Amino acid sequence: MALTITCPICGKRNGYEFRYGGEEKGPRPDEKDLTPESWCDYVHMNRCVAGVQQEWWFHRDGCGSWFTIFRDTTTNLEKETPEAKE
Amino acid sequence: MFSKSKPMWGKKTKLKSSYDVVLIGGGLHSLATAYYLAKEHGITDVAIIEKNYIGYGGAGRNTAIVRANQRTQYNVPLYKEALDLWPVLTKELDYNLMFNNCGNLNLMHSEAAMNAARMTIATAQFHGVESHLIDAKEAKELVPALNISEDITFPIHGAMFHPPGGVVRHDAVVWGLAKGASKLGVEIHQQTEATGINTKNGKVTAVVTDKGVINTKQVLISAGGYSAALIHGFLGIKLPISVLTIQAMVTQPLKPILNHVVSSGAYHCYANQTLKGEIATGAHMDQWPNYTTLNTAHYIKHQAEALSEFLPALRGVRFMRIWGGLADMTPDMAPIMDGNEQVEGFFMDCGWGYFGFKSCSAVGRHMASFMATNTCPDILKPFALKRYQEHKLMGETAALVSYTPDN
Ligand SMILES: Cc1cc2nc3c(=O)[nH]c(=O)nc-3n(C[C@H](O)[C@H](O)[C@H](O)COP(=O)(O)OP(=O)(O)OC[C@H]3O[C@@H](n4cnc5c(N)ncnc54)[C@H](O)[C@@H]3O)c2cc1C
Ligand SMILES: [Zn+2]
């Protein structure tokens, strides 16, 4: 099964042109009141969803954009929205 | 497989409404934990809950390589114990696990890699694990099929040779442990999916399954690559894990040409010859998290290219079977074993990536002791989840140059 990723600049391209950038975790936590726990949570922790997740990609062998998409981790298919089913 | 006939490991029993201990996942880690709970602690009111069939996960998909030449002082003793256990378990279980200690040859493709190997070897030797640094010519003497010429993509500078490692028949370990555990009273429930864990006042009270609720005070999640999603789904605990498909394949059978397990980090490729003559070979993991367990043309091509460079005799040989499984990777390439920390009575044993076969026996033994006594054995203490918060990552990977799901 081929993975394709839609770059906001270049459009739908072969997935191997991109580097996976991790699960979308919201904004980087504020330096103020930062605890080892909240920093660790942001840096390391994942939900590992078996289903649709929002995630970051970097168009490494292309325009260099960073962007998020929704993808079903059980099929490797891109989805329009988080709720999208088959 | 699920017919009325009796399973090969023992009697089929009805799922009860309560057990002393419930283990989620019918892979090697649960089976080994159950076996040692019964054998060494007399805890036999134990149920293994398996969604599909035992050995469905990594347990039945791995490339069966065992070794004890890891990088850090925390990991080496654990893997050494596991390696030493194969002959013991073969006897104890009265089951031929087909341990073939043919030795592992880990190829080094630069002087920097040779230096890194020196350190790993020193650690191994310090812990009483046999491991040597050899040069390219010595490697060629051990494996005449090796291409040590300089005009390949990653010329071979030498190798780390670890004679006591090798391969073990993975299915036999699944069956042997299932039989051994079942004989001591452990129940194995296939076609039963865990769907939740109930807690009350911070303590485990029950495991919810599609066949009913099971009351229990202790539960272990050791469901291989599925663990992280289950642990987050059931208890909201996030883990520093990325789940990636890892692919493997075997060639047509050949006359004996490979006496050792040969692996190469630079080529992202390892291979050994099975007793049937096939070359069994594994690739690197997919570059993005996924649960597909599908093979891709990308890796079949990669594997063929890598093998035909450093083992050129394999050029033109055909792949006969291909398959994939899951690897749950952590940032420090070391597993997470913890218990009674996030929730009382909840234990986890996961993050085993592509190295959870070789460790299963020793880990099962220590997890059993952990659960039976509610005291974490010293050898498991460094593997607690807290280490990421405390920034005590294990260093099984030399340097995190770029932090990626597969490192
Ligand atoms: C291609 C490949 C090659 C590998 N090569 C090696 C190697 O050479 N050496 C090595 O040491 N390791 C290797 N590994 C890693 C090793 O196989 C795994 O780390 C190990 O098998 C995982 O532990 P396990 O056996 O306990 O779990 P698994 O066998 O993965 O068991 C998990 C089980 O949990 C079940 N499950 C999932 N969800 C639920 C649920 N909700 N309820 C109940 N049950 C559930 C699944 O059906 C599955 O049977 C390899 C892995 C792969 C995929
Ligand atoms: Zn682009």
Side-chain angles (χ1 to χ4, degrees):
Chain A
M1 174 179 315
L3 172 82
T4 54
I5 304 281
T6 309
C7 168
I9 312 259
C10 313
K12 191 165 161 175
R13 306 283 307 171
N14 182 332
Y16 288 95
E17 291 181 7
F18 299 82
R19 178 200 197 274
Y20 177 74
E23 297 178 4
E24 158 60 12
K25 300 177 183 179
R28 177 179 165 133
D30 240 341
E31 300 278 318
K32 196 168 113 358
D33 303 328
L34 194 66
T35 60
E37 195 175 353
S38 55
W39 181 241
C40 177
D41 196 62
Y42 180 69
V43 175
H44 292 304
M45 298 302 175
N46 289 321
R47 293 188 176 80
C48 300
V49 173
V52 180
Q53 71 174 18
Q54 189 179 11
E55 57 189 26
W56 286 90
W57 286 86
F58 165 53
H59 200 177
R60 184 192 53 213
D61 301 342
C63 67
S65 298
W66 278 94
F67 55 93
T68 68
I69 61 162
F70 293 96
R71 179 180 60 105
D72 187 337
T73 59
T74 64
T75 59
N76 264 340
L77 295 175
E78 241 183 298
K79 299 283 163 181
E80 294 281 320
T81 61
E83 294 81 32
K85 293 258 155 63
E86 298 302 271
Chain B
M1 193 176 320
F2 309 110
S3 64
K4 299 225 172 59
S5 67
K6 157 174 169 300
M8 54 81 72
W9 61 81
K11 281 199 310 279
K12 215 172 185 170
T13 52
K14 269 192 92 169
L15 190 66
K16 297 192 297 179
S17 60
S18 96
Y19 291 90
D20 287 346
V21 180
V22 175
L23 311 173
I24 299 177
L28 294 157
H29 286 252
S30 291
L31 289 164
T33 305
Y35 173 69
Y36 284 111
L37 273 171
K39 178 169 175 284
E40 293 190 345
H41 305 279
I43 299 176
T44 57
D45 189 30
V46 176
I48 293 177
I49 302 301
E50 165 55 50
K51 180 177 172 182
N52 301 292
Y53 52 87
I54 57 166
Y56 166 86
R61 298 169 192 249
N62 67 72
T63 37
I65 294 164
V66 299
R67 56 185 175 85
N69 56 355
Q70 283 67 24
R71 194 168 178 275
T72 63
Q73 73 270 35
Y74 312 109
N75 284 266
V76 173
L78 191 65
Y79 287 92
K80 177 178 174 5
E81 186 181 331
L83 192 56
D84 292 342
L85 270 171
W86 297 119
V88 178
L89 273 175
T90 301
K91 269 212 183 127
E92 229 175 78
L93 298 170
D94 191 21
Y95 210 88
N96 187 357
L97 305 179
M98 297 172 75
F99 178 31
N100 177 11
N101 51 345
C102 56
N104 310 58
L105 203 63
N106 193 194
L107 303 176
M108 301 295 153
H109 302 273
S110 67
E111 283 314 301
M114 290 290 275
N115 280 335
R118 276 187 189 99
M119 206 177 97
T120 307
I121 288 164
T123 305
Q125 290 177 350
F126 178 78
H127 288 280
V129 173
E130 192 183 348
S131 188
H132 314 279
L133 192 70
I134 60 175
D135 65 20
K137 263 173 72 186
E138 290 168 304
K140 175 92 180 162
E141 279 160 22
L142 283 171
V143 180
L146 218 53
N147 181 0
I148 57 163
S149 76
E150 274 171 22
D151 61 355
I152 58 174
T153 313
F154 303 111
I156 295 165
H157 286 234
M160 180 161 79
F161 181 43
H162 173 49
V167 288
V168 172
R169 172 84 196 272
H170 54 228
D171 302 311
V173 184
V174 172
W175 300 327
L177 283 172
K179 220 173 152 182
S182 157
K183 218 162 142 187
L184 297 169
V186 170
E187 293 182 13
I188 299 171
H189 293 281
Q190 301 190 118
Q191 300 279 285
T192 307
E193 178 180 1
T195 56
I197 291 176
N198 291 344
T199 61
K200 201 174 166 187
N201 304 327
K203 293 180 185 172
V204 168
T205 58
V207 173
V208 186
T209 78
D210 60 353
K211 303 270 165 69
V213 175
I214 308 169
N215 295 312
T216 187
K217 290 198 173 107
Q218 280 195 324
V219 58
L220 168 72
I221 295 189
S222 54
Y226 303 93
S227 304
L230 296 183
I231 291 167
H232 181 250
F234 293 175
L235 297 167
I237 300 166
K238 286 191 276 182
L239 296 173
I241 282 179
S242 296
V243 182
L244 308 159
T245 290
I246 180 166
Q247 308 179 27
M249 46 212 91
V250 294
T251 67
Q252 64 193 94
L254 306 171
K255 286 183 183 168
I257 61 158
L258 209 51
N259 274 336
H260 307 283
V261 178
V262 179
S263 63
S264 160
Y267 278 108
H268 284 317
C269 177
Y270 58 91
N272 73 283
Q273 190 163 23
T274 68
L275 294 175
K276 283 189 282 183
E278 304 154 331
I279 306 294
T281 174
H284 199 57
M285 292 149 289
D286 285 6
Q287 292 155 27
W288 46 83
N290 72 80
Y291 289 86
T292 63
T293 71
L294 292 175
N295 285 89
T296 53
H298 181 85
Y299 279 104
I300 297 172
K301 177 166 174 274
H302 168 270
Q303 217 60 12
E305 283 171 354
L307 288 174
S308 46
E309 280 206 17
F310 71 85
L311 293 168
L314 299 182
R315 281 179 197 164
V317 170
R318 283 156 206 269
F319 287 125
M320 299 280 284
R321 287 184 294 119
I322 56 178
W323 70 92
L326 299 181
D328 51 336
M329 302 301 294
T330 62
D332 52 359
M333 302 265 282
I336 299 163
M337 292 176 277
D338 215 334
N340 288 332
E341 179 69 29
Q342 295 79 15
V343 177
E344 201 179 316
F346 168 68
F347 294 78
M348 62 177 138
D349 168 17
C350 55
W352 282 102
Y354 52 86
F355 26 85
F357 170 59
K358 58 179 74 68
S359 58
C360 69
S361 52
V363 169
R365 191 172 191 187
H366 292 300
M367 282 308 297
S369 149
F370 193 174
M371 296 184 83
T373 62
N374 280 309
T375 314
C376 185
D378 286 342
I379 197 168
L380 298 190
K381 279 183 184 155
F383 296 92
L385 177 59
K386 273 203 309 285
R387 75 176 185 270
Y388 297 96
Q389 243 182 63
E390 294 169 347
H391 207 66
K392 289 183 184 153
L393 274 67
M394 286 243 178
E396 275 303 309
T397 179
L400 282 178
V401 179
S402 66
Y403 186 65
T404 61
D406 62 352
N407 287 321

